[in-house]
Amino acid sequence: MNKPVKDHSIKARLSEAEMCKTLSIALKQDGLISGEDTAVIFYDLSFPEDRILGLKNLFPPSTLHAIAVKANPLPAALNIVKELGAGVEVASLPELYLAEKAGFAPENIVFDSPCKTRHEIEYALKLGVYINADSFDELDRIDDLLKILKSGSSVGLRINPQVGTGTIVSTSVADTISKFGVPLDDNHDKLMEYYLKYSWLKGVHVHIGSQGCEVHLMLKGIKKALNFTREVNQELKKMPGGKPVDTFDIGGGLPVSYDPSGDPITMEAYHKLLLKDCSELFNGQFRLITEFGRYIYANSAWVASKIEYVKRERTYNIAMTHVGADLFLRKCYNPGDWHHHISLAGKDGELKRGKDKNKYIVAGPLCFAGDVIAKDLELPVAAEGDFLLIHDAGAYTLSMWSRYNSRQIPKVIGYRPGTMTFEVIKERESKDDLYEFWT
Ligand code: LLP
């Protein structure tokens, strides 16, 4: 399934017009959206496909594109990834379970977690997945286990290149102090010692952050880790029978745009910079791994959330709607760092135009004051039953769902714009499912 995708055919985002057209058609489909569906998440399934095919076209064929499950763990998404021959990056044992259930071959699974138990490491080693260790102690645990069990796993180590943070501190992981990986500047010699000591340690992993880290920071971190890898390989060369580090994992983190007028860096541009600044990654000495998540999914989905009430005041309006900090956790708890563009459609899904005299606060249904997904928002005149279309909701939204107030997780509908076919890829959570969660 390796259909070629021209770089320029990779869409940057979905348009408001496309969303409205899709919603109008979906609303007319018998039994697809019921009265209970006060909010629905729509995924354009062709979008992640094009992005993954685009990645495969750009990078060497031997590259493992391990798509980050944490960005979107829906089995329907994992199936797309698997069908296209890509892999997955998992950050916990349950994510590993999701990957196994989806049928990924162990060699296409990259297991990253900063807090793996002995049992989890043993499980992963027996399964034969690629493991990125996060600390010296974890490497020692792996060594203990490799003495007593057989494993087909390859093992790398996450190195923190200590190049600083991007604009969003909570998603930047390569600062001088970080909970992730082994800090390179502080541990250069010990790192070297471990690479020379453990002959099974053959990978280097580096990840700078997610969103907010511009590519030059990402490149700086990758280059620094690559320079260290070169040093390690020079030393290994001097050792009788010493085999070089052969896998380099550049992590994910390519930022996307949440602003319809934004001009995000393209994967092609990032790849070009990598080729220029880190050419060794492409000369065949390493098997490359990438771990993109947000780039694959963020712009592929949107939410249609009904307006239940409009509270009209003298100088402002509040639109009360059915998703808030449960689905848009980052936006509500950290509003300065995150943004979601919002459009307004009528009951029939048609785009509403014009401008209300007052600006809107868009508030979710949860019982706390910070449950607000937009402030000072210019909208056409909104009414009960209209739909707010919340853009760019495909990554780190449903996967970060918050259980506060026990609201039911909305239905997720996948569609293909070419044929306008719809499938429910996740049913709205039932009250019984919810009860089970709490019992
Ligand atoms: N690889 C590793 C080791 C990661 O930690 C991450 C994301 C990725 C890859 C994927 O990064 P991406 O390409 O998706 O930017 N909204 C969340 C973001 C946490 C990201 C965590 N790591 C949050 O606000 O916590």
Side-chain angles (χ1 to χ4, degrees), residues 70 89 112 158 171 207 210 253 291 293-294 330 396 400:
K70 71 199 95 176
E89 185 260 359
D112 294 343
R158 181 163 178 171
T171 56
H207 174 72
S210 181
E291 301 176 347
R294 197 183 299 275
R330 278 292 182 207
Y396 304 107
M400 295 176 74

Side-chain angles (χ1 to χ4, degrees), residues 53 98 112 193 200 210 258 309 329 343 357 360 363 366 383 414 418 433:
L53 289 169
L98 291 177
D112 294 343
E193 192 190 300
W200 43 262
S210 181
Y258 287 86
Y309 297 99
L329 190 133
S343 313
K357 73 175 176 46
Y360 282 78
L366 304 183
D433 293 339

Side-chain angles (χ1 to χ4, degrees), residues 122-141:
E122 183 176 340
Y123 184 84
L125 284 171
K126 282 184 178 159
L127 195 63
V129 302
Y130 188 91
I131 301 176
N132 278 319
D134 196 75
S135 63
F136 292 121
D137 287 348
E138 192 182 334
L139 288 176
D140 293 337
R141 281 188 185 183

